[in-house]
Amino acid sequence: MNHIKPIALLVEEKRIVDALAQVRPLMASWDEIEPFRTLVRLFDYALMYRHSGLVARYAHRKFNTLQTLAWLCDEWLDQRRPLDVEEALTPRLTAALEGRVEEPRESAIARAAFALVHALLDMQRIDVSLDYRHNE
């Protein structure tokens, strides 16, 4: 928490560029996905989508997991890029669903499937989106 105080002071002083320069090394020191998840959620709740997108892109470059890809795809959906979402998620999600790739969280698979279905519905490809519904 001591790393946040200098950043908060810079923000109060409206020295945003200096504050951002200190955020990058802080994020580089994180070796788990949880701090990134917390930051993305915080920015999303605060309606600061550009910031959550920046954190999502950084986390995806660092970890390259299905979860971080889903965050990135959320940003692409906001930018009206459903085709990019489909191209990125389909092979990764298919591999995870078939068990060829071990995903640490079932929620990551569900989140990625939701993003893919959203993209398919945006492209009015309802028949394909039905393939990803949950079978009960």
Side-chain angles (χ1 to χ4, degrees), residues 26-114:
L26 178 63
M27 289 192 308
S29 70
W30 294 340
D31 294 330
E32 298 177 354
I33 201 169
E34 282 307 314
F36 290 98
R37 180 188 323 277
T38 301
L39 211 50
V40 166
R41 289 183 71 187
L42 171 67
F43 287 140
D44 282 349
Y45 286 142
L47 303 177
M48 301 170 74
Y49 301 116
R50 283 187 183 172
H51 296 62
S52 66
L54 178 116
V55 173
R57 285 189 304 275
Y58 187 88
H60 186 63
R61 276 190 228 116
K62 185 169 185 167
F63 296 107
N64 193 18
T65 65
L66 188 58
Q67 178 66 62
T68 60
L69 180 59
W71 295 340
L72 191 57
C73 288
D74 285 339
E75 182 182 4
W76 290 344
L77 286 168
D78 290 341
Q79 295 171 356
R80 300 267 189 220
R81 295 171 52 189
L83 188 57
D84 291 334
V85 172
E86 181 186 20
E87 289 175 354
L89 273 181
T90 299
R92 295 278 301 268
L93 184 57
T94 301
L97 289 171
E98 292 174 352
R100 290 183 279 139
V101 176
E102 187 66 31
E103 282 300 325
R105 294 174 157 237
E106 202 171 286
S107 62
I109 294 173
R111 184 66 201 102
F114 181 81

